[in-house]
Amino acid sequence: MNTNAITAKKPITTKPPITAATASARKPFIRKPWFKKTLLTLLFWVAGLLLWHGLSLVYGPEILPGPILTAQGGYELLADGTLLHYIGISSYRVLLGWTLGSLLAIPVGLVIGKVSAIRAFAEPFLNFIRFIPPIAFITLFLVWFGIGETSKVVLILYATFFIVVLNTLTGVLAVEEDKIRSARSMGASEWQIVLHVIIPSTVPYMFTGIRLAMGTSFMAIIGAEMIASNEGVGYLIWNSRLFFRTDWIFVGLICLGLMGFITDRAVALLGRKLLARYGVAGTLGLRR
């Protein structure tokens, strides 16, 4: 037997398994999901701006100013510092009233939801007064608290309070009875049940109420600034009609949308980072 005829065996090599991350990395750049989403978003905004510009040409800049005229009007307001000042004033009012309203509403909702005797009295009242919009109280709050900052902050507090109370109350009532019975069977006191069972289960409802109340707070402050204020984005929108500056009105509307969008995203991000263990995901954490 000729040993030289024996050839050495080739080493057996195994290919690494193809994982989802590897498959995604091998995809062409244009086929990646995030690229498609970004491209669709840009196309949507470009189409919206083109439609806006086309409608402004049809109706005229006096009725519907186009994107260019609106940008010029915004630059005028930015140049003299008016726009940033008004945005800061409105943001301060909204954040203060919204924060105070949420801090007051959460314990009230927990108490109403936990104590059936209080709930029997308070629930009909809540369902009655929640249908009265905050703007309806502007005149009364001006009489009671004056035309200063207090009336506006109280108005936003009112707009926030009942939304958060009702969401917190709903969360308390949605807690499974089996969890409460299990805690009692292990010797937990009523305070421990509230602290370790009811509150953690209710946190997603509280967070949802807080985010919903943010939108109502912006609506309330704009109404208040239009009627009884000489500062703020609402005042800018209302006062611009006297000069027939529709471009300034559009600047105010765009600022309102951006303020609300940024605030909601910030709240959602905080909720996802700080309250994820309680089941709070936030829209930033959702993927389809």
Side-chain angles (χ1 to χ4, degrees), residues 27-155:
K27 282 184 179 180
F29 183 77
I30 196 171
R31 294 179 59 188
K32 293 186 177 181
W34 66 266
F35 178 79
K36 291 182 178 180
K37 184 178 179 180
T38 304
L39 183 61
L40 288 175
T41 303
L42 289 175
L43 289 175
F44 171 79
W45 283 108
V46 170
L49 289 174
L50 290 175
L51 178 62
W52 180 10
H53 180 70
L55 291 175
S56 68
L57 295 177
V58 173
Y59 292 100
E62 295 82 7
I63 304 299
L64 182 62
I68 297 176
L69 289 178
T70 303
Q72 291 175 351
Y75 178 77
E76 292 178 21
L77 296 172
L78 279 173
D80 60 6
T82 301
L83 185 59
L84 292 179
H85 177 67
Y86 285 173
I87 290 175
I89 291 293
S90 296
S91 299
Y92 166 77
R93 291 166 177 166
V94 168
L95 292 176
L96 181 59
W98 172 73
T99 303
L100 293 176
S102 299
L103 292 176
L104 291 174
I106 288 174
V108 171
L110 290 172
V111 171
I112 295 175
K114 186 70 175 64
V115 184
S116 57
I118 298 177
R119 184 168 65 253
F121 167 77
E123 194 170 10
F125 173 75
L126 290 174
N127 288 320
F128 166 77
I129 200 169
R130 73 187 179 93
F131 288 103
I132 303 176
I135 297 177
F137 283 97
I138 290 179
T139 305
L140 279 177
F141 287 169
L142 289 176
V143 174
W144 292 344
F145 304 105
I147 61 174
E149 295 298 313
T150 304
S151 59
K152 301 172 184 62
V153 172
V154 172
L155 184 70

Side-chain angles (χ1 to χ4, degrees), residues 52 56 60-78 83 233 236-256:
W52 180 10
S56 68
E62 295 82 7
I63 304 299
L64 182 62
I68 297 176
L69 289 178
T70 303
Q72 291 175 351
Y75 178 77
E76 292 178 21
L77 296 172
L78 279 173
L83 185 59
V233 179
L236 170 65
I237 295 172
W238 184 249
N239 197 50
S240 297
R241 82 193 194 285
L242 301 176
F243 307 100
F244 208 67
R245 293 297 302 265
T246 52
D247 54 339
W248 288 359
I249 296 176
F250 271 79
V251 171
L253 295 175
I254 293 171
C255 288
L256 278 177

Side-chain angles (χ1 to χ4, degrees), residues 255-273:
C255 288
L256 278 177
L258 289 175
M259 290 162 61
F261 177 80
I262 293 171
T263 306
D264 181 73
R265 288 287 170 166
V267 172
L269 180 61
L270 286 175
R272 189 180 64 171
K273 295 295 184 183

Side-chain angles (χ1 to χ4, degrees), residues 173-190:
L173 297 178
V175 177
E176 297 178 6
E177 191 66 25
D178 292 342
K179 293 182 179 180
I180 298 177
R181 290 173 182 169
S182 299
R184 283 178 180 154
S185 67
M186 290 185 288
S189 63
E190 291 300 317

Side-chain angles (χ1 to χ4, degrees), residues 122-225:
E123 194 170 10
F125 173 75
L126 290 174
N127 288 320
F128 166 77
I129 200 169
R130 73 187 179 93
F131 288 103
I132 303 176
I135 297 177
F137 283 97
I138 290 179
T139 305
L140 279 177
F141 287 169
L142 289 176
V143 174
W144 292 344
F145 304 105
I147 61 174
E149 295 298 313
T150 304
S151 59
K152 301 172 184 62
V153 172
V154 172
L155 184 70
I156 299 170
L157 189 152
Y158 168 84
T160 302
F161 182 80
F162 292 101
I163 296 177
V164 180
V165 165
L166 288 172
N167 275 270
T168 305
L169 169 62
T170 302
V172 174
L173 297 178
V175 177
E176 297 178 6
E177 191 66 25
D178 292 342
K179 293 182 179 180
I180 298 177
R181 290 173 182 169
S182 299
R184 283 178 180 154
S185 67
M186 290 185 288
S189 63
E190 291 300 317
W191 172 251
Q192 289 174 327
I193 291 174
V194 171
L195 191 62
H196 298 289
V197 178
I198 293 178
I199 291 180
S201 300
T202 312
V203 166
Y205 292 85
M206 298 177 188
F207 186 73
T208 300
I210 288 172
R211 290 187 65 183
L212 291 174
M214 174 62 71
T216 310
S217 300
F218 274 99
M219 289 188 286
I221 191 57
I222 293 307
E225 289 178 346

